[in-house]
């Protein structure tokens, strides 16, 4: 087995069980909610996913923070001391400073451990899109690929990780500057549900507007049908902001396209702080984003 560790951060929104099965080292981002700080752990042990969304629905306004250089150093250093290398797959640099922190920590540690390699990849992905990207890289590692081979695979594959999602509450996008206050007001009145995606530069981009929730969910499937590559070969990943029933509806529609494996999990509280409750996302391998 190749002697290196796959590392990522908690914005991958994988389940703790899957992260363990993939052998990942996962660093948590943080959020502050009603005066208390929490780590975004994959098992929800510091703040449960349902509790988080319940408090957001009640009007709580979370503030998030990235993984900093010192936190990366604290986790990377013992791995390097144990004689292993690191391939770190980070949350999109367009949405967080986590990637930049990892790069700085890696540069400093390679000076201390010149015989070791620390490679950092800007996934340009978010939520379980990042999770799917990490999952694909882990499959390559399981085949016995070297760090450099998986690095090459990662740099080539990230442009094909398609992110499509819809939100139930436009006010959280208004807070993040994604829609105007007027658009949020009239969109809410008219039951307009935006469909957005993460583009090839890792940015969050509004794409279209649908009338009603069901139409917005089916729009996600439509995008997958148009652009997916080998849906029978690759899994689809779905994450949700405490609306499991709608995620299951989306999964059933995706299976009609021939997808054999569908993984469903929560949108974690860091990303959920920006999307609000009721977000539903669909991630798959496509020809292009």
């Amino acid at each position: 087995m190749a002697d290196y560790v796959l590392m990522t951060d908690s914005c991958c929104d994988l389940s703790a069980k899957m992260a363990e099965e993939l052998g990942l080292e996962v660093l948590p981002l943080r959020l502050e909610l009603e005066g208390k700080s929490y780590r975004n752990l994959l098992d929800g042990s510091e703040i449960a996913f349902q509790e988080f969304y319940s408090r957001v629905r009640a009007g709580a306004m979370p503030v998030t923070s990235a993984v900093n250089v010192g936190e990366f150093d604290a986790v990377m250093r013992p791995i390097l001391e144990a004689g292993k290398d690191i391939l770190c797959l980070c949350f999109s640099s367009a949405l967080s400073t986590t990637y930049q922190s990892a790069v700085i920590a890696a540069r400093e540690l390679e000076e201390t451990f010149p015989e070791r390699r620390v490679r950092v990849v800007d996934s340009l992905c978010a939520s379980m899109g990042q999770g799917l990207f990490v999952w694909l890289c882990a499959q390559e590692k399981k085949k016995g690929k070297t760090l450099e081979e998986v690095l090459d695979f990662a740099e080539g594959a990230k442009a094909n990780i398609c992110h499509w999602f819809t939100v139930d509450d436009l006010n959280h996008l208004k807070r993040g500057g994604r829609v105007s206050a007027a658009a949020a007001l009239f969109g809410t009145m008219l039951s307009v549900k935006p469909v957005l995606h993460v583009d090839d530069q890792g940015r969050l981009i509004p794409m279209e507007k649908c009338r009603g929730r069901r139409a917005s969910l089916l729009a996600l499937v439509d995008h997958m049908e148009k652009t997916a590559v080998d849906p029978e070969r690759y899994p689809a990943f779905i994450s949700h902001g405490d609306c499991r029933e709608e995620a299951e509806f989306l999964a059933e529609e995706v299976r009609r396209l021939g997808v054999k494996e569908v993984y469903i999990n929560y949108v974690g509280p860091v990303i959920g702080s920006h999307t609000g409750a009721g977000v539903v996302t669909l991630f798959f391998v496509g020809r292009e984003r």
Side-chain angles (χ1 to χ4, degrees):
M1 178 63 69
D3 208 16
Y4 62 96
V5 171
L6 278 185
M7 181 178 289
T8 191
D9 57 73
S10 61
C11 281
C12 66
D13 287 344
L14 295 172
S15 68
K17 179 181 179 182
M18 180 178 282
E20 182 180 1
E21 290 172 348
L22 296 176
L24 303 176
E25 185 74 45
V26 183
L27 281 77
L29 280 79
R30 294 176 180 269
L31 65 147
E32 186 170 311
L33 184 62
E34 297 176 318
K36 186 174 179 180
S37 179
Y38 302 90
R39 289 179 298 165
N40 180 179
L41 299 174
L42 297 186
D43 64 0
S45 56
E46 287 203 2
I47 181 165
F49 302 121
Q50 287 180 309
E51 178 193 346
F52 167 77
Y53 283 109
S54 176
R55 290 165 70 176
V56 167
R57 285 188 177 105
M61 305 289 276
V63 177
T64 63
S65 57
V67 184
N68 63 41
V69 175
E71 289 167 330
F72 272 114
D73 185 292
V75 176
M76 288 176 167
R77 187 176 293 270
I79 294 170
L80 301 176
E81 289 174 341
K84 295 183 178 181
D85 297 326
I86 298 169
L87 177 57
C88 185
L89 310 169
C90 293
F91 183 32
S92 173
S93 64
L95 302 172
S96 171
T97 59
T98 295
Y99 166 73
Q100 286 85 352
S101 294
V103 169
I104 293 168
R107 187 181 304 128
E108 293 175 352
L109 286 166
E110 284 191 322
E111 292 179 2
T112 306
F113 301 92
E115 74 286 1
R116 299 264 60 88
R117 294 171 298 166
V118 185
R119 303 289 183 262
V120 183
V121 176
D122 181 358
S123 73
L124 303 176
C125 296
S127 190
M128 285 185 81
Q130 180 182 339
L132 174 56
F133 175 68
V134 172
W135 184 91
L136 290 167
C137 292
Q139 305 313 304
E140 295 300 302
K141 185 175 187 289
K142 284 182 180 180
K143 296 174 186 175
K145 299 291 182 67
T146 66
L147 184 153
E148 297 297 338
E149 287 172 330
V150 179
L151 174 62
D152 288 344
F153 170 83
E155 292 292 359
K158 62 187 179 183
N160 302 105
I161 308 299
C162 299
H163 301 55
W164 290 94
F165 70 101
T166 186
V167 298
D168 199 36
D169 182 357
L170 285 163
N171 289 307
H172 281 270
L173 292 180
K174 180 191 73 175
R175 281 182 58 211
R178 302 297 173 183
V179 298
S180 68
L185 173 63
F186 289 110
T188 300
M189 290 170 59
L190 298 171
S191 192
V192 169
K193 306 299 181 184
V195 171
L196 306 94
H197 87 139
V198 175
D199 70 5
D200 57 8
Q201 296 182 53
R203 301 171 303 183
L204 187 62
I205 306 294
M207 296 296 289
E208 61 196 85
K209 299 173 184 176
C210 297
R211 289 292 297 273
R213 182 68 155 172
R214 180 185 172 89
S216 69
L217 294 172
L218 292 176
L220 308 185
V221 183
D222 184 54
H223 284 292
M224 182 172 184
E225 186 172 18
K226 289 176 180 176
T227 61
V229 171
D230 294 336
E232 295 184 0
R233 175 185 173 192
Y234 295 110
F237 281 30
I238 293 171
S239 54
H240 65 92
D242 199 29
C243 48
R244 177 84 189 199
E245 189 172 313
E246 289 163 311
E248 293 284 3
F249 168 80
L250 181 60
E252 286 304 309
E253 293 300 316
V254 163
R255 289 187 182 100
R256 299 181 199 278
L257 304 181
V259 178
K260 291 184 169 55
E261 289 184 290
V262 180
Y263 296 101
I264 300 175
N265 199 35
Y266 276 93
V267 172
V270 164
I271 292 181
S273 295
H274 301 281
T275 62
V279 59
V280 180
T281 70
L282 174 61
F283 308 102
F284 56 92
V285 177
R287 292 189 301 274
E288 60 185 8
R289 290 200 182 186

